[in-house]
Amino acid sequence: MLSPPYQVACTRLPREAVGLAGTFGPDLVILDLRMPDMDGFELMGRLKAAWPDVEIILMTGSVRELDAQLIRALREKAFYFLQKPFDREVLQTLVERCLDLRRLEKENQRHLNRLEQEL
C-alpha cells in the first residue's frame, strides 16, 4: 500500500519491531493496537524511548473503548489514530503529511543552526 514511493519494512511480531527499527531507522512507524505479546501502546513507548523523534500512527479494528484509546494515543504523542477499516488514500495521505512535516522540521532546524553559527 505504501511502497513505492516509500521504503517499507514489516514485521508481525512486536518484539522484532525494535530490532528492525534499529536496523531500518524509520521516520514513521505504523502500529496496530492489538498484537501478540504486547499492545501497540507498549511498543510505541519502547520505540519512542529509543528514538524520541520517530512518528507513530496507531490503528485499531476494535470498537471497545475507542474514545479512551484515541485520548491515550494523543496523550502519548502518536501522530494519528486510525480506526479500521480505513480508506487506502487516507493512510497514504497521512503518511505523506507526516513525512512532509518531518522534512520541514528538519529544514527549520538546519536553518536555525546556521543562523546561530552566523551570529
Side-chain angles (χ1 to χ4, degrees), residues 46-56 77 102:
R46 290 183 185 193
L47 290 169
K48 288 243 182 220
W51 300 277
D53 65 337
V54 72
E55 296 293 351
I56 309 282
K77 308 281 192 255
R102 276 183 73 84

Side-chain angles (χ1 to χ4, degrees), residues 33 41 44 58 60 62 64-83:
L33 285 183
F41 289 116
M44 180 172 76
L58 291 169
T60 187
S62 174
R64 292 187 62 201
E65 300 180 351
L66 192 59
D67 286 342
Q69 291 175 343
L70 171 60
I71 291 166
R72 183 174 176 190
L74 294 172
R75 285 188 175 149
E76 293 185 21
K77 308 281 192 255
F79 181 79
Y80 204 83
F81 183 86
L82 278 172
Q83 185 177 4

Side-chain angles (χ1 to χ4, degrees), residues 66-107:
L66 192 59
D67 286 342
Q69 291 175 343
L70 171 60
I71 291 166
R72 183 174 176 190
L74 294 172
R75 285 188 175 149
E76 293 185 21
K77 308 281 192 255
F79 181 79
Y80 204 83
F81 183 86
L82 278 172
Q83 185 177 4
K84 295 187 237 177
F86 52 83
D87 185 83
R88 165 182 263 170
E89 193 171 354
V90 169
L91 181 61
Q92 291 168 334
T93 303
L94 277 171
V95 168
E96 180 182 334
R97 179 72 173 144
C98 178
L99 296 177
D100 281 348
L101 288 172
R102 276 183 73 84
R103 180 185 52 77
L104 290 171
E105 286 175 13
K106 287 179 181 181
E107 284 178 16

Side-chain angles (χ1 to χ4, degrees), residues 13-19 36-38 43 46:
L13 301 175
R15 66 180 175 269
E16 294 174 357
V18 175
D37 301 329
M38 74 178 81
L43 180 53
R46 290 183 185 193

Side-chain angles (χ1 to χ4, degrees), residues 1-8 88 92 95:
M1 186 181 297
L2 295 172
S3 64
Y6 305 106
Q7 289 182 298
V8 177
R88 165 182 263 170
Q92 291 168 334
V95 168

